[in-house]
Amino acid sequence: MSASAVFVLDLKGKVLICRNYKGDVNMAEIDHFYPLLMQHEEEGLLCPALTHGNVHFLWIKHSNLYLVATTNKNSNAALVYAFLYKLVGVFTEYFKELEEESIQDNFVVVYELLDELMDFGFPQTTDSQILQEYITQEGNKLEVAKTKVPTTVTNAVSWRSEGIKYKKNEVFIDVIESINVLVNANGSVMSSDIVGSIKLKTMLSGMPELRLGLNDRVLFSLTGRDKGKSVAMEDVKFHQCVRLSRFENDRTISFIPPDGESELMSYRINTQVKPLIWIESVIEKFSHSRVEIMVKAKGQFKKQSVANNVEIKVPVPSDADSPKFKTSTGHAKYVPEKNVVLWTIKSFPGGKEFLMRAHFGLPSVENDEKEAKPPITVNFEIPYFTVSGIQVRYMKIIEKSGYQALPWVRYITQSGDYQLRTNS
Amino acid sequence: MPYLGSEETLKELKRALSNSNVQADRLRYRNVVLRVIRLMTQGLDMSSLFMEMVKASASVDIVQKKLVYLYMCTYAGLKPDLALLAINTLRKDCADPNPMVRGLALRNMCNLRMPGITEYIQQPVLAGLRDKASYVRRVAVLGCTKMQNLQPEAEIDGTVVNELYGMLRDPDPVVMVNCLRALEEMLKAEGGVVINKPIAHHLLNRLKELDSWAQSETLAFLLRYRPRDEAELFDILNLLDGHLQSSHSAVAAATLRLFLHLADAHPAVQADALSRARGPLLAACASRSRELCFAGLCHVQCILRSVPGQYAAHYKRFFCSYSEPGYIRLRKMDILVELVNDENVALVLEELRAYCTDVLPELAQAAIFAIGRIGRMYSERCLGILTDLLGLRQEHITSAVVQTFRDLVWLCPQCAASVCQAIIGCEENIQDSEGKQALIWLLGAHGDKIASAPYVLEDYIDSLKTELSSLVKLELLTATVRLFLSRPAEIQDMLGRLLHYCIEEESDMCVRDRALLYYRLLHCGVDETRRIMGGPISDPSLGVITGHPDEPVNNWVAHFNTLELLFTRGIGTALPSKGGSDSMALSIAGCPLVVGETGEDPLHTSTEDGPDFSLSLDPPLSPESFEQHWLRLDVSHTGTMVFPGSDCAPETLQAALQLVQIQALAFSRSDSLPWKAYLYSKSSGTLILAELLHSAPPHLQVTVKQVPRDECALQGFITVLETALQALRKEAT
């Protein structure tokens, strides 16, 4: 691992804040980073690892910031990136949004966090829930400055403190699936998969033991029951609270949950799914005069379900002008800064088909530069429905005090990376 | 810092800090400190406030303490004498009842990084090692290393080292991992922390308690340990097994590395581990963060070097998305090329075809080169796509297609006819020098099949004055001389003009020399020129080598899961399409001259053995029929020879052997051991096959098989081979 120093730079390469962990790389080396980055970008050879002399810069970009780690060792790159993303994650939980302004407004907390997250180039306490117990933004307001190391830093259950109390004990379970689809220009589905995640909002007192039952295919075949629909999950990832050994033995998902919001698990399902919203498009470009766009959207899901907030983005040439639209439903508008037509449909019932026509003028003097051909992208959300058919069969909550707790389950399917290439 | 009014600000802050009213009001006091730190963060020099800031550290407010410590760590190097004043406060804090304060003070004391501090921090650090709060112990353990770093020449304290080894059994997992990290740094000179059997087993057993960072690092430390016997090895592998499919891709990668390393003598176990780790690695490749995705792709690419088919079923995961940055798309294309098989070739090509028209010329060209690499296996399909692309009449596309054509023709002679058809007229769309070189090479080598070849060359010759690249000029010289041999009537005149220009007016030494060389060569007569210039225009056997053999896993496992992997591109690009065959053509065309000058022509030495002995390569032997013969025949001769040295490049060896009419069909990478090569040659009706095996320096085992038997030819072949290898050895040393 071993990062020598961590820097946060703004988009012009100016250091906003930095922390020298190891002292074996000159802090002035960072001055080479930005010119190097620019040089690589110009050559079109951008790479997340840059080298100057014997110093390597591993960097990521987040909103209007660069986060850079320097090292002079052949360290584990993936781990360094993971740490930088962890930084982003922790900062985001503290400041809601991580950007230049939030770093400047909260530099004290940033310094404090940098101090706790890593020591001598090695990650130490990186769980933001624990950090939040002893580094607080209210600390700046003096009166509530907590000064005790929370027991959780050394606790067996490091993600949950003892003595949490709620009047009403409830757990909210969100099952969210996003579909990634890539359709090529002649309408064949090149790739598709489902990425699911189960999120919890826990409002439970004490140290409860939870057990979650899913219609997991491996579990069903283990227990010999094969009635009902089951789901084969791949790449299952759990929050650290889940007892992995039990899952490996008998596929039981048992855990002591962190308090508040957390992502319990994520999974991927690699089956061919029918694209839930199918798009057919005809984009005709008449050089020097006009572009005519016809887009047909079809809901390929159950009639009972409704897709909400459907947004279909259709690319148009950057020099197009005088837009005219006609839609069978919803509302279309031209977004010139992104060079797209944005067609929004508030609610889109399954099995229905809608049409949008757009007409643009083109200047008689043609743009010389070649333009990229962005795909059509679609965003949507379908509540009370999962593509994979995954179900929460039960959620058992056991606590010493024996209180009754209520689990609430909600299913949502949404679009992930949903792209349809055009042949214009 | 040149900052207007900064003098004033400093003075004002100084006054505020030493104002007793401010000091009494905790909130005001902290706000002043805050301002100092803010200015420091903005890059202003605040070191003149050191005295006042040191005083501010004696506060009950922990946030203020942190800020002051930060200030001290930043400026301690500039004001070592003043920093010593702070030591007392820090040492007092190290005995604070609050573990948080103790840890904080200890950490910052160790971070002061100034000479002479060690004597003050030694005692608190040692006390910290035995602190009851694990938070302090974590800090103290790393403090030991920091102390060591401050005085690198000082001897390492044996008791501290022993204590740290003992603390590997600390109940707190982070303390344990910090011990490993600390020992590793401190014992750098002796090769780092020693992992013996009890430690290794202890670490393995506690692996589950650790967080993902610590797990990855501990797994890397375990690489040091070698199990005593098979039973222990398999016990360890069993323990690790679950982590291979860890949900953290970093942990999975680290486990895989350890697995491969431990099982280096068991290829079957390695293969199994590779296939079991596929899930997490694929997940890494689909990671939302580009950088982790990139790292995942680099690892997949590395694995494909050994197990090409491994990810073939998942090829769709490597299709590029519009929003991905170039570096990811380039890697994905490289991987796609490796995954091609009979079932997916149509879809992969369709997908790559879509990338060929990308707006970024680099990506478009990379996609075209990728299609070219697939073309070595599926030439017909690819030729169709590439020819269609020429119709787009885009400069960068045409250039890349022509370069791809050149390489394809060199490797797959059967493509020559359709390529010659396709390239007619594309000279109008080529502007860059790589593209020009490729086109000119094609015209020179296959000009006899292209009716318009002389006219295209003439255009280039006429515009020679404006040509900037000397590589293009060199290529043009070679091509014109070559074409002259097959179409003298049309070329003679322009060749004369070209040579005249290059000899009389050209300022580049290389070009002039080459022109003079050809001029003198032509003086020797057409037959002599033909003998020397008429090198092969294709080399199908090279295709066997470029379709690289599966590399042993042990070759790359040492770099797996490190930074290095991110900088190396895959094998497919290590033999870049640009100029690869060119340099070969040049070295073959140039070789006879070198031999002539030194007077050591191996061909002549060999003729001394028998008056009617000579080797030839016609007709060429395909790798398949080589293999059939090799398996069928008995060994007719074995012996040892000198090994030309591992630093001898395969290209050199290949070229040298070709010079004496021995063809190398396949050989292993130059640095691998054992190193193998398969050769063949023909002599007056007998076919001679040979295997070179190099397992231990300095000797080379030679096994020769022959059909039909001919003792004279066999002896001749051995002598020629020996001379050639000796000559290579001389050159290498």
Side-chain angles (χ1 to χ4, degrees):
Chain A
M1 168 82 204
S2 147
S4 183
V6 171
F7 298 85
V8 180
L9 312 182
D10 67 5
L11 281 186
K12 296 199 181 72
K14 198 182 113 209
V15 180
L16 292 176
I17 214 160
C18 63
R19 172 84 207 197
N20 187 359
Y21 286 110
K22 227 167 173 178
D24 58 352
V25 171
N26 189 344
M27 292 299 273
E29 287 285 348
I30 193 69
D31 296 341
H32 299 297
F33 168 73
Y34 192 67
L36 212 59
L37 186 76
M38 288 296 106
Q39 182 198 334
H40 279 258
E41 193 161 8
E42 249 164 53
E43 292 165 7
L45 300 164
L46 211 56
C47 174
L50 301 172
T51 304
H52 182 268
N54 58 358
V55 182
H56 306 293
F57 301 103
L58 303 171
W59 63 278
I60 65 170
K61 194 177 164 194
H62 182 89
S63 67
N64 53 0
L65 297 171
Y66 291 109
L67 282 87
V68 188
T70 54
T71 178
N72 55 4
K73 297 213 168 66
N74 188 13
S75 46
N76 184 342
L79 217 52
V80 178
Y81 292 131
F83 179 76
L84 292 176
Y85 275 102
K86 188 81 212 179
L87 278 186
V88 172
V90 171
F91 288 159
T92 315
E93 287 197 30
Y94 268 85
F95 316 133
K96 295 276 181 299
E97 217 135 295
L98 174 61
E99 52 193 14
E100 194 178 330
E101 294 70 32
S102 56
I103 290 276
Q104 272 165 349
D105 295 347
N106 298 289
F107 71 97
V108 176
V109 183
V110 174
Y111 274 130
E112 282 185 73
L113 287 173
L114 284 175
D115 204 34
E116 294 294 336
L117 281 162
M118 190 176 243
D119 193 9
F120 205 57
F122 303 111
Q124 301 287 312
T125 311
T126 55
D127 193 314
S128 68
Q129 244 136 18
I130 299 170
L131 288 167
Q132 252 155 0
E133 291 183 25
Y134 65 105
I135 297 177
T136 48
Q137 275 164 295
E138 287 76 41
N140 292 337
K141 298 189 185 85
L142 201 67
E143 55 278 358
V144 274
K146 279 194 196 170
T147 51
K148 279 268 185 321
V149 190
T151 45
T152 42
V153 176
T154 56
N155 226 3
V157 184
S158 66
W159 54 89
R160 188 181 177 93
S161 314
E162 281 170 35
I164 297 172
K165 275 213 177 75
Y166 285 97
K167 261 192 199 150
K168 201 174 173 190
N169 290 299
E170 289 176 311
V171 197
F172 297 90
I173 308 164
D174 279 353
V175 182
I176 302 166
E177 289 192 337
S178 30
I179 1 177
N180 301 324
V181 175
L182 177 65
V183 181
N184 80 357
N186 50 29
S188 53
V189 179
M190 297 303 270
S191 65
S192 64
D193 60 1
I194 305 166
V195 180
S197 84
I198 297 183
K199 290 187 174 151
L200 295 183
K201 187 172 179 190
T202 321
M203 296 159 84
L204 297 172
S205 316
M207 280 292 199
E209 267 282 344
L210 269 59
R211 226 165 71 208
L212 177 70
L214 299 171
N215 54 343
D216 172 12
R217 182 163 301 164
V218 185
L219 176 69
F220 276 26
S221 64
L222 269 178
T223 51
R225 71 151 87 202
D226 44 25
K227 47 186 172 186
K229 205 180 167 211
S230 61
V231 173
M233 296 182 287
E234 282 179 54
D235 302 340
V236 186
K237 288 187 192 176
F238 288 109
H239 186 272
Q240 56 165 336
C241 65
V242 177
R243 295 188 186 90
L244 288 177
S245 48
R246 285 207 61 183
F247 182 75
E248 273 151 30
N249 284 340
D250 54 10
R251 301 286 277 197
T252 311
I253 304 171
S254 82
F255 55 97
I256 298 173
D259 191 43
E261 287 179 38
S262 60
E263 185 180 30
L264 180 70
M265 63 182 284
S266 68
Y267 56 89
R268 221 170 38 76
I269 294 170
N270 202 20
T271 50
Q272 191 86 4
V273 280
K274 199 155 66 165
L276 295 179
I277 291 188
W278 183 252
I279 303 283
E280 276 171 43
S281 68
V282 181
I283 302 179
E284 277 179 298
K285 191 172 167 182
F286 303 93
S287 283
H288 314 298
S289 70
R290 65 188 196 278
V291 184
E292 279 175 8
I293 298 170
M294 196 277 293
V295 177
K296 199 157 71 179
K298 193 178 171 197
Q300 304 193 107
F301 46 91
K302 272 183 269 171
K303 285 212 172 65
Q304 305 92 294
S305 295
V306 175
N308 291 335
N309 302 325
V310 180
E311 287 187 340
I312 301 166
K313 288 185 194 137
V314 187
V316 291
S318 60
D319 49 1
D321 53 43
S322 48
K324 279 184 214 123
F325 305 107
K326 213 159 125 193
T327 56
S328 61
T329 189
H331 173 73
K333 85 173 177 198
Y334 176 42
V335 189
E337 62 271 24
K338 287 185 181 142
N339 296 320
V340 293
V341 175
L342 179 65
W343 179 21
T344 41
I345 303 164
K346 277 275 165 268
S347 87
F348 193 138
K352 282 275 163 32
E353 203 175 283
F354 297 117
L355 201 69
M356 189 264 296
R357 283 179 193 278
H359 179 284
F360 284 89
L362 282 180
S364 51
V365 183
E366 209 172 334
N367 189 356
D368 276 342
E369 262 172 54
K370 238 184 90 186
E371 283 193 28
K373 287 197 296 182
I376 295 180
T377 54
V378 185
N379 293 330
F380 57 85
E381 205 176 82
I382 308 175
Y384 318 114
F385 167 75
T386 54
V387 213
S388 66
I390 198 164
Q391 273 181 335
V392 174
R393 289 168 49 235
Y394 59 81
M395 168 70 103
K396 286 184 183 152
I397 303 159
I398 303 153
E399 218 273 333
K400 284 198 297 268
S401 62
Y403 57 71
Q404 284 297 310
L406 285 174
W408 303 90
V409 188
R410 186 164 64 159
Y411 300 98
I412 299 173
T413 293
Q414 60 187 29
S415 57
D417 189 13
Y418 201 103
Q419 302 189 350
L420 303 102
R421 294 186 185 146
T422 61
N423 49 9
S424 65
Chain B
M1 276 286 146
Y3 182 83
L4 205 62
S6 67
E7 286 287 313
E8 283 304 306
T9 323
L10 272 176
K11 265 187 205 148
E12 187 205 319
L13 284 170
K14 201 169 198 144
R15 262 201 309 278
L17 280 170
S18 37
N19 184 336
S20 57
N21 287 334
V22 173
Q23 286 173 3
D25 183 347
R26 274 165 56 193
L27 198 55
R28 267 178 78 192
Y29 200 12
R30 189 208 278 181
N31 282 337
V32 178
V33 173
L34 212 64
R35 275 186 66 200
V36 176
I37 302 292
R38 186 184 290 275
L39 293 171
M40 181 185 95
T41 311
Q42 286 166 1
L44 269 72
D45 185 8
M46 291 281 130
S47 60
S48 56
L49 299 174
F50 208 94
M51 273 298 276
E52 290 73 21
M53 287 297 276
V54 168
K55 277 191 201 132
S57 71
S59 158
V60 285
D61 178 6
I62 200 153
V63 176
Q64 180 169 335
K65 254 188 210 303
K66 282 185 189 174
L67 292 175
V68 176
Y69 289 160
L70 181 78
Y71 174 91
M72 289 199 291
C73 291
T74 314
Y75 292 118
L78 297 173
K79 306 251 169 172
D81 43 338
L82 288 175
L84 285 178
L85 293 175
I87 295 281
N88 263 334
T89 333
L90 282 165
R91 286 188 62 152
K92 210 172 82 218
D93 282 351
C94 284
D96 196 276
N98 184 345
M100 183 97 181
V101 177
R102 290 204 297 274
L104 195 66
L106 193 58
R107 181 162 59 219
N108 284 289
M109 211 149 87
C110 298
N111 278 347
L112 281 176
R113 295 200 195 100
M114 53 182 209
I117 186 117
T118 25
E119 53 179 309
Y120 300 99
I121 60 174
Q122 193 165 21
Q123 193 269 328
V125 166
L126 291 178
L129 287 179
R130 297 197 191 88
D131 200 288
K132 58 183 188 303
S134 59
Y135 183 78
V136 183
R137 290 201 301 276
R138 292 176 186 181
V139 174
V141 168
L142 287 179
C144 295
T145 329
K146 293 179 189 167
M147 217 156 65
Q148 173 75 28
N149 261 11
L150 287 171
Q151 32 174 191
E153 65 288 338
E155 215 168 293
I156 300 161
D157 189 349
T159 51
V160 173
V161 170
N162 283 339
E163 179 126 20
L164 288 180
Y165 271 118
M167 284 175 76
L168 286 175
R169 307 211 170 262
D170 194 281
D172 183 71
V174 181
V175 172
M176 180 186 95
V177 182
N178 276 357
C179 280
L180 284 175
R181 294 158 168 166
L183 285 168
E184 174 72 11
E185 286 277 327
M186 288 170 79
L187 305 175
K188 226 178 329 189
E190 300 162 27
V193 55
V194 179
I195 308 281
N196 60 19
K197 189 171 172 177
I199 295 180
H201 286 236
H202 173 70
L203 294 180
L204 282 165
N205 286 326
R206 292 193 63 179
L207 214 49
K208 283 210 170 109
E209 303 166 28
L210 307 178
D211 61 5
S212 61
W213 317 109
Q215 276 183 352
S216 320
E217 281 180 66
T218 310
L219 288 165
F221 282 119
L222 282 168
L223 288 170
R224 298 266 163 81
Y225 180 64
R226 268 275 135 202
R228 305 278 160 74
D229 51 41
E230 296 266 295
E232 191 192 352
L233 170 71
F234 284 102
D235 280 347
I236 294 180
L237 293 183
N238 276 335
L239 270 175
L240 289 174
D241 203 56
H243 293 286
L244 263 185
Q245 282 165 314
S246 162
S247 56
H248 290 275
S249 52
V251 176
T255 316
L256 180 60
R257 183 180 177 195
L258 180 58
F259 224 92
L260 296 176
H261 172 78
L262 287 174
D264 56 1
H266 302 79
V269 178
Q270 285 183 328
D272 187 49
L274 283 174
S275 71
R276 280 162 49 74
R278 193 163 49 206
L281 277 173
L282 277 174
C285 292
S287 168
R288 248 159 224 274
S289 97
R290 298 161 161 195
E291 292 75 17
L292 288 173
C293 166
F294 177 67
L297 290 172
C298 293
H299 285 99
V300 168
Q301 211 179 1
C302 180
I303 290 174
L304 288 176
R305 280 154 64 176
S306 293
V307 233
Q310 178 108 74
Y311 290 80
H314 302 274
Y315 68 98
K316 282 191 174 173
R317 298 277 197 94
F318 301 100
F319 283 176
C320 305
S321 156
Y322 175 72
S323 47
E324 281 166 346
Y327 54 84
I328 288 186
R329 289 202 260 175
L330 287 176
R331 293 276 172 169
K332 282 192 168 174
M333 285 187 219
D334 284 348
I335 290 174
L336 277 176
V337 170
E338 300 285 322
L339 299 184
V340 164
N341 59 26
D342 290 353
E343 281 130 48
N344 61 24
V345 63
L347 271 175
V348 170
L349 283 176
E350 191 183 334
E351 184 68 12
L352 283 172
R353 167 68 180 79
Y355 308 154
C356 290
T357 44
D358 199 283
V359 253
L360 283 178
E362 290 84 6
L363 287 177
Q365 293 197 326
I368 293 167
F369 293 137
I371 293 178
R373 295 216 302 280
I374 295 174
R376 292 169 196 177
M377 294 287 287
Y378 302 93
S379 44
E380 250 167 64
R381 291 165 186 266
C382 296
L383 275 177
I385 295 179
L386 292 170
T387 314
D388 284 349
L389 285 172
L390 285 179
L392 295 175
R393 302 186 161 272
Q394 302 260 353
E395 277 172 21
H396 65 276
I397 292 180
T398 310
S399 164
V401 170
V402 172
Q403 290 172 57
T404 313
F405 275 158
R406 171 194 57 195
D407 298 350
L408 263 183
V409 165
W410 178 257
L411 298 170
C412 319
Q414 70 273 17
C415 306
S418 22
V419 166
C420 290
Q421 275 280 313
I423 59 166
I424 292 170
C426 68
E427 69 275 1
E428 291 160 25
N429 296 309
I430 298 182
Q431 294 301 325
D432 62 330
S433 72
E434 277 90 7
K436 282 186 195 168
Q437 286 172 53
L439 179 66
I440 295 172
W441 186 88
L442 281 167
L443 292 173
H446 297 275
D448 47 338
K449 297 182 218 90
I450 307 168
S452 64
Y455 310 105
V456 179
L457 284 184
E458 187 161 28
D459 283 345
Y460 280 116
I461 291 169
D462 290 340
S463 58
L464 204 60
K465 278 200 180 84
T466 51
E467 179 57 58
L468 296 171
S469 155
S470 40
L471 285 172
V472 171
K473 291 177 189 168
L474 287 174
E475 199 65 64
L476 190 58
L477 274 167
T478 314
T480 316
V481 175
R482 273 184 160 185
L483 197 58
F484 169 69
L485 295 173
S486 54
R487 303 169 75 166
E490 293 153 287
I491 299 291
Q492 189 169 17
D493 181 51
M494 62 179 90
L495 177 61
R497 270 185 288 148
L498 175 66
L499 288 175
H500 180 267
Y501 174 83
C502 288
I503 293 167
E504 296 290 327
E505 291 177 50
E506 177 58 43
S507 55
D508 188 297
M509 202 60 175
C510 283
V511 178
R512 202 162 61 206
D513 268 2
R514 181 73 69 87
L516 278 168
L517 175 74
Y518 287 140
Y519 181 69
R520 285 200 300 268
L521 188 61
L522 289 165
H523 265 293
C524 303
V526 173
D527 289 333
E528 193 68 6
T529 314
R530 180 164 288 134
R531 193 177 70 78
I532 288 165
M533 293 298 292
I537 51 171
S538 71
D539 185 2
S541 70
L542 207 63
V544 180
I545 299 163
T546 45
H548 54 91
D550 300 350
E551 203 180 325
V553 172
N554 298 337
N555 271 4
W556 47 258
V557 72
H559 312 302
F560 197 71
N561 204 22
T562 65
L563 183 59
E564 193 176 320
L565 219 57
L566 269 62
F567 289 110
T568 37
R569 283 196 71 188
I571 280 244
T573 42
L575 284 165
S577 21
K578 289 180 188 175
S581 54
D582 247 352
S583 61
M584 187 63 85
L586 287 178
S587 67
I588 288 169
C591 264
L593 290 154
V594 179
V595 175
E597 271 160 25
T598 50
E600 264 190 300
D601 191 344
L603 263 181
H604 291 295
T605 42
S606 62
T607 44
E608 288 160 20
D609 294 319
D612 54 1
F613 170 75
S614 73
L615 292 171
S616 77
L617 286 176
D618 291 325
L621 192 67
S622 73
E624 292 78 16
S625 54
F626 180 92
E627 200 178 325
Q628 278 171 11
H629 283 299
W630 185 258
L631 294 175
R632 193 166 50 81
L633 295 175
D634 294 321
V635 177
S636 42
H637 171 87
T638 53
T640 55
M641 286 183 191
V642 279
F643 182 57
S646 55
D647 44 6
C648 167
E651 287 83 359
T652 331
L653 186 69
Q654 171 124 5
L657 289 176
Q658 221 159 33
L659 206 60
V660 293
Q661 301 290 313
I662 297 174
Q663 176 68 49
L665 260 189
F667 37 67
S668 34
R669 289 163 61 87
S670 55
D671 50 354
S672 60
L673 207 79
W675 177 91
K676 274 188 183 180
Y678 290 95
L679 321 169
Y680 79 90
S681 187
K682 287 185 180 143
S683 169
S684 52
T686 62
L687 174 66
I688 305 167
L689 312 175
E691 179 199 58
L692 307 182
L693 171 68
H694 172 71
S695 48
H699 290 296
L700 192 62
Q701 277 283 334
V702 184
T703 316
V704 187
K705 299 184 179 183
Q706 193 189 22
V707 58
R709 277 198 84 82
D710 178 350
E711 199 53 44
C712 166
L714 182 68
Q715 285 311 321
F717 173 80
I718 291 165
T719 329
V720 171
L721 183 61
E722 194 149 29
T723 327
L725 290 177
Q726 263 164 4
L728 271 175
R729 182 166 179 78
K730 266 184 227 152
E731 212 170 281
T733 48

